[in-house]
């Protein structure tokens, strides 16, 4: 492997798993839908999902269900968990990801073709989508402290990403209900940062 686990690491593990590059995967899914005659319609929905016309309705609105957002329905357990990462050039053509925790801190890196994702942050109840320069410096510091030197010796930043994980306290809302008129509504939201994992 490109990264050998150091026995002194507080927590380390090694396994093989697929890595999803979300922008490419979503394009693939959209292409699959349209190739079978499906149509993707994007519009804002205000009010209960039951007001929409369809035999089966699936609510994946995530933070659109948060109590502080005008959306489908109010769910007091929904809240954002802000995440920030940096993208650096993958000059070394690294293909293996690494996640390390130690001294009460953690860092990870995930290669995505010609860039490497370094992260990250986890800030509960934060809605700000602007890049926090202090967070950038802290990500770099933690990555250089915890990850192998070969992964961090030449971190040329080429981009930033900030997003909101749709986290639901207690548990994910995954339930099916049948309306009086026989239509089906499926709630499927609150996965936080683990949507693809789950």
């Amino acid at each position: 492997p490109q990264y050998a686990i150091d026995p002194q690491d507080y927590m380390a593990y090694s396994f093989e798993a697929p890595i999803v590059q979300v922008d490419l995967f979503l394009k693939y899914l959209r292409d699959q839908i349209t190739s079978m005659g499906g149509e993707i319609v994007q519009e804002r929905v205000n009010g209960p999902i039951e007001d929409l016309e369809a035999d089966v309705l699936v609510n994946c609105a995530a933070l659109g269900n948060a109590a502080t957002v005008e959306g489908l329905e109010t769910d007091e357990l929904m809240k954002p968990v802000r995440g920030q990462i940096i993208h650096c050039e993958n000059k070394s053509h690294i293909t293996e990801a690494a996640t390390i925790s130690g001294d009460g801190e953690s860092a990870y890196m995930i290669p995505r073709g010609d860039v490497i994702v370094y992260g990250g942050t986890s800030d509960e109840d934060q809605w700000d989508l602007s890049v926090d320069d202090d967070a950038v410096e802290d990500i770099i510091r933690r990555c250089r402290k915890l990850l192998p030197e070969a992964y961090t010796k030449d971190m040329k930043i080429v981009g930033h990403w900030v997003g909101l994980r749709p986290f639901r306290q207690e548990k994910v809302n995954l339930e099916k209900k049948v309306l009086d008129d026989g239509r089906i509504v499926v709630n499927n939201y609150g996965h936080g940062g683990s949507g693809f994992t789950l």
Side-chain angles (χ1 to χ4, degrees):
Q2 292 168 315
Y3 170 53
I5 294 176
D6 186 339
Q8 299 303 312
D9 288 334
Y10 284 61
M11 181 182 75
Y13 44 87
S14 175
F15 61 93
E16 292 186 5
I19 295 176
V20 176
Q21 190 164 337
V22 176
D23 54 343
L24 297 179
F25 185 59
L26 290 179
K27 181 183 183 307
Y28 166 78
L29 293 178
R30 285 193 297 268
D31 290 345
Q32 290 292 303
I33 291 171
T34 56
S35 70
M36 293 184 287
E39 181 183 4
I40 297 175
V41 177
Q42 183 174 344
E43 62 183 66
R44 184 176 181 84
V45 177
N46 293 318
I49 192 171
E50 292 84 354
D51 291 348
L52 300 176
E53 294 184 11
D55 294 332
V56 178
L57 299 161
V58 182
N59 177 7
C60 298
L63 288 174
N65 294 296
T68 56
V69 176
E70 185 180 3
L72 297 178
E73 61 185 22
T74 298
D75 188 333
E76 299 287 346
L77 298 179
M78 285 296 299
K79 64 179 179 180
V81 177
R82 180 185 180 278
Q84 180 171 327
I85 56 176
I86 59 176
H87 292 180
C88 295
E89 284 188 6
N90 188 359
K91 294 182 179 180
S92 302
H93 305 291
I94 293 170
T95 59
E96 294 183 353
T99 300
I100 300 293
S101 297
D103 290 333
E105 298 184 304
S106 64
Y108 62 84
M109 53 80 55
I110 303 171
R112 290 184 181 171
D114 58 354
V115 299
I116 296 178
V117 173
Y118 291 92
T121 66
S122 183
D123 310 309
E124 294 188 8
D125 288 319
Q126 297 295 318
W127 292 89
D128 185 5
L129 290 173
S130 61
V131 174
D132 183 333
D133 292 334
D134 291 337
V136 171
E137 294 301 316
D138 187 57
I139 290 170
I140 293 172
R141 179 193 63 78
R142 285 185 281 117
C143 287
R144 287 185 170 152
K145 172 184 175 183
L146 297 171
L147 295 171
E149 182 181 356
Y151 285 4
T152 60
K153 65 181 178 181
D154 188 17
M155 297 173 70
K156 181 181 178 182
I157 297 177
V158 295
H160 302 270
W161 187 86
V162 180
L164 303 177
R165 304 175 182 100
F167 178 74
R168 188 172 189 268
Q169 301 175 69
E170 297 181 8
K171 64 180 181 178
V172 172
N173 187 353
L174 183 58
E175 63 177 356
K176 168 187 170 183
K177 54 185 177 181
V178 180
L179 303 180
D180 292 340
D181 60 8
R183 294 183 301 150
I184 296 173
V185 174
V186 178
N187 283 327
N188 179 28
Y189 63 83
H191 300 77
S194 303
F196 282 99
T197 306
L198 295 177

